[in-house]
Amino acid sequence: MARPGYRFLICPDAELLRRQAASLAQGLGPGTARKVFWGDDEPFPPAYWLELTTKNLFSTPTVLVLRRAEALKAEVWDRLDEGIKNAASTVLAVFCLEGRWKE
């Protein structure tokens, strides 16, 4: 299986983000899991790092959605840089930037 990688979804509409994440999951095939985490959770959930880097025993694809990613602190983005490099090949990391655009 080719490495799914990562995607950025930029949109303040939660329903559009949900539909796009569902479409990405459907594109990876049947049985794809979708797990959602929140970037504004304090502290950042340790379970996210496990989901990102742990190899799946059955090679089931997973779409790992991180909502409100614009709220992440700089140290989390630094850690994500390394985490993406070591991500499991079955994981598609999706970062949702939901803040309103400022002129």
Side-chain angles (χ1 to χ4, degrees), residues 24-103:
L24 289 169
Q26 189 176 36
L28 292 179
T32 299
R34 188 173 48 183
K35 298 184 180 183
V36 179
F37 292 88
W38 298 89
D40 55 1
D41 280 350
E42 285 292 333
F44 190 75
Y48 182 85
W49 305 113
L50 287 173
E51 292 292 339
L52 182 64
T53 58
T54 303
K55 305 268 187 257
N56 186 314
L57 186 61
F58 301 106
S59 296
T60 304
T62 301
V63 174
L64 194 58
V65 179
L66 182 58
R67 299 278 313 266
R68 297 185 192 137
E70 74 278 1
L72 293 174
K73 295 184 175 172
E75 61 267 10
V76 177
W77 282 111
D78 290 341
R79 192 169 172 200
L80 276 170
D81 182 47
E82 192 62 34
I84 291 295
K85 291 176 189 172
N86 297 316
S89 62
T90 56
V91 173
L92 173 61
V94 177
F95 303 100
C96 300
L97 304 172
E98 303 176 50
R100 296 223 179 262
W101 290 103
K102 295 185 178 158
E103 295 183 30

